Amino acid sequence: MDRIVIEGGARLHGEIGISGAKNSALKLMAAALLTDEKVALTSMPRLADSRFMAHLLARLGVAVEEGPGSQMQLHAAAITDTYAPYDLVRKMRATFNVLGPLVAREGRAKVSLPGGCAIGARPVDLHLKALEALGAQIELSEGYVEATAPKGGLVGGEIELPFASVGATEHAMLAASLARGESVIDNAAREPEIADLADCLTAMGAEVEGAGTSTIRVQGRDRLNGVTHPVVADRIETATYALAVAAAGGDVVLKGARWEHNKVLWRAINDAGATAEAVEGGVRVARNGSTIRGVDIETQPYPGFPTDAQAQFMAFMATAEGTSVVRETIFENRFMHAPELARLGADISVHGNEAIVRGVDKLVGAPVMATDLRASVSLVIAGLAAEGETVVNRVYHLDRGFERLEEKLTKCGAKIQRLSD
Ligand code: UD1
């Protein structure tokens, strides 16, 4: 099993190119099921998760080709199977989003209940509620969801989400694009990935209005056309490298990063005493010897502080002056990195959904274990800031969501390498 070895203490200098967003890419790939024409996605991140989604789509009949460059072409000329088995769904929650497109196009589908990171219960009730509002009949049995559209296909409907779930909003948009008439999604999630999906579906011929606000209207079509669509820049990868620079020190321009997608994070970084500023073509983050102060954060749906950057922020706060409180409100079990950070000397106590981080003078390298995708990268950040050697085990979690991580960091002067047994 691969592991990552970091010799901490090097400052980071230079440029890091930000990849397309994993979380957006996976839903855009699902959108390819909605049309018999070609969908070409550019700026596609090459990740274990996108390969996994491609594998599932291929099983359903989609021709998937990678390249040239960071392009992926998907062609669902005909859907040959509407069954997504447990083995292809359990590893990654986003695969569940094939259910709506399959029912919308083929009238029925059977998809296993999903898996994904072990960060909470993460049910799919809201996804199913959304599909029911479009007329689908849902049956659950033996770990599978079987959905059937009414005769004549899905019909536009009113979808009211009790919680602004990202996945359920996207699922509803995908299915509604191929439903008859208008659908309205109330209390929709507002993440930039939702706007990205809306742009793609609109270019495919659906009419999607209001993405980025809490009310989204989708005018469905009988058929959708192909598209070439660039995947939006990854705001979580952006946040991760920004926090790596803020924790380890240095001066780096994050090329292609979208300033407007991480405003709360930039404020927190600046409040702590490092620098984040918008520059031509990206964001510059710097810390040149300044002391870091403790800053409190609370995760919230967008535009609040992203839960997917919480672990990385905690690693940054580990050596801040004073205390910071990190409150997690999206997932109930998302502090698994805290004991691992403590192995490097961090002083963190967890009380329910609150972690109290008392800044220490320095972190010292140690062997640690990755527990989920974002937690694992927080250990890399801590390792970069620590004195001595840190070994991060179980890095397959990292490979799910970070493209060429070691290469990007090495180019900026980090001493980091991957070892395979
Ligand atoms: C997406 C992101 C994930 C991110 C999360 C929140 C992808 C592939 N993943 O996950 O990286 O951390 O948004 O920004 O895009 N919930 C329910 N019932 C449902 C759906 C969700 O109770 O049917 C709950 C979940 O258990 C969780 C909360 O809602 O507590 C947030 O989930 P949601 O916004 O749906 O996140 P995901 O789409 O799973």
Side-chain angles (χ1 to χ4, degrees):
M1 226 186 285
D2 288 5
R3 54 198 193 279
I4 283 182
V5 181
I6 302 161
E7 187 60 42
R11 293 193 171 195
L12 307 175
H13 285 275
E15 279 181 10
I16 295 179
I18 298 302
S19 301
K22 168 186 89 83
N23 285 354
S24 201
L26 299 173
K27 320 307 165 57
L28 294 167
M29 289 174 75
L33 288 168
L34 295 167
T35 174
D36 59 6
E37 295 182 16
K38 271 192 185 154
V39 170
L41 300 175
T42 60
S43 306
M44 264 299 284
R46 291 190 189 257
L47 302 167
D49 272 12
S50 46
R51 274 195 299 277
F52 198 70
M53 185 68 156
H55 193 55
L56 169 63
L57 292 175
R59 153 95 190 219
L60 303 174
V62 184
V64 185
E65 265 178 56
E66 290 205 53
S70 51
Q71 206 181 110
M72 182 183 269
Q73 303 207 30
L74 303 114
H75 192 190
I79 305 284
T80 54
D81 203 345
T82 56
Y83 171 60
Y86 175 67
D87 258 3
L88 294 183
V89 178
R90 77 188 154 86
K91 280 199 203 151
M92 192 180 86
R93 191 173 158 82
T95 46
F96 191 67
N97 279 52
V98 301
L99 178 67
L102 286 175
V103 184
R105 182 153 160 201
E106 297 295 310
R108 59 187 311 123
K110 183 173 175 180
V111 174
S112 166
L113 288 163
C117 279
I119 53 176
R122 302 183 93 182
V124 288
D125 52 324
L126 306 179
H127 295 238
L128 301 181
K129 189 170 145 62
L131 295 180
E132 275 174 341
L134 303 180
Q137 275 219 359
I138 305 281
E139 272 178 46
L140 291 177
S141 84
E142 293 167 3
Y144 280 82
V145 178
E146 234 177 311
T148 318
K151 240 184 167 178
L154 295 180
V155 277
E158 293 263 338
I159 301 164
E160 204 171 319
L161 296 175
F163 175 83
S165 150
V166 175
T169 302
E170 291 165 333
H171 212 155
M173 289 162 69
L174 286 162
S177 295
L178 213 54
R180 259 179 302 132
E182 184 177 82
S183 297
V184 181
I185 309 168
D186 271 327
N187 196 25
R190 294 183 282 161
E191 272 69 2
E193 295 75 32
I194 306 271
D196 196 29
L197 180 62
D199 288 347
C200 181
L201 292 171
T202 302
M204 290 171 77
E207 228 173 85
V208 185
E209 277 173 18
T213 74
S214 298
T215 307
I216 299 177
R217 286 173 193 278
V218 183
Q219 204 58 249
R221 296 282 179 254
D222 288 347
R223 68 180 301 278
L224 297 172
N225 50 260
V227 68
T228 297
H229 178 85
V231 181
V232 69
D234 197 321
R235 69 195 162 93
I236 304 304
E237 191 195 24
T238 300
T240 301
Y241 289 124
L243 290 165
V245 179
D251 195 331
V252 172
V253 172
L254 305 171
K255 298 282 280 183
R258 300 274 295 267
W259 172 265
E260 68 277 22
H261 290 168
N262 267 321
K263 283 191 173 160
V264 176
L265 173 77
W266 307 136
R267 200 181 317 133
I269 288 179
N270 284 318
D271 284 352
T275 305
E277 61 174 2
V279 292
E280 172 100 37
V283 174
R284 173 177 166 254
V285 182
R287 175 178 166 204
N288 290 310
S290 59
T291 308
I292 293 303
R293 291 180 290 277
V295 169
D296 299 345
I297 57 148
E298 175 174 298
T299 64
Q300 286 292 337
Y302 189 85
F305 194 97
T307 174
D308 286 352
Q310 178 256 103
Q312 299 90 312
F313 194 80
M314 195 184 284
F316 171 44
M317 284 293 104
T319 52
E321 220 167 54
T323 298
S324 75
V325 179
V326 173
R327 190 170 297 123
E328 172 61 51
T329 74
I330 309 289
F331 294 110
E332 69 269 30
N333 186 20
R334 210 174 194 182
F335 286 138
M336 286 172 305
H337 41 284
E340 296 300 312
L341 289 170
R343 293 174 57 77
L344 303 183
D347 179 353
I348 303 168
S349 47
V350 173
H351 310 273
N353 73 341
E354 251 180 37
I356 307 205
V357 188
R358 292 182 186 83
V360 292
D361 286 346
K362 62 173 187 188
L363 298 176
V364 179
V368 286
M369 198 166 69
T371 50
D372 71 62
L373 169 55
R374 310 302 178 184
S376 50
V377 87
S378 78
L379 302 175
V380 172
I381 292 177
L384 291 169
E387 260 176 23
E389 185 181 273
T390 295
V391 181
V392 183
N393 295 292
R394 297 207 181 160
V395 295
Y396 54 84
H397 287 293
L398 266 183
D399 295 334
R400 288 189 45 205
F402 290 93
E403 187 179 39
R404 296 180 287 108
L405 174 102
E406 308 96 90
E407 184 191 318
K408 288 185 183 190
L409 285 169
T410 302
K411 268 171 72 180
C412 289
K415 298 203 175 82
I416 176 169
Q417 56 172 320
R418 176 181 294 250
L419 297 182
S420 303
D421 284 334

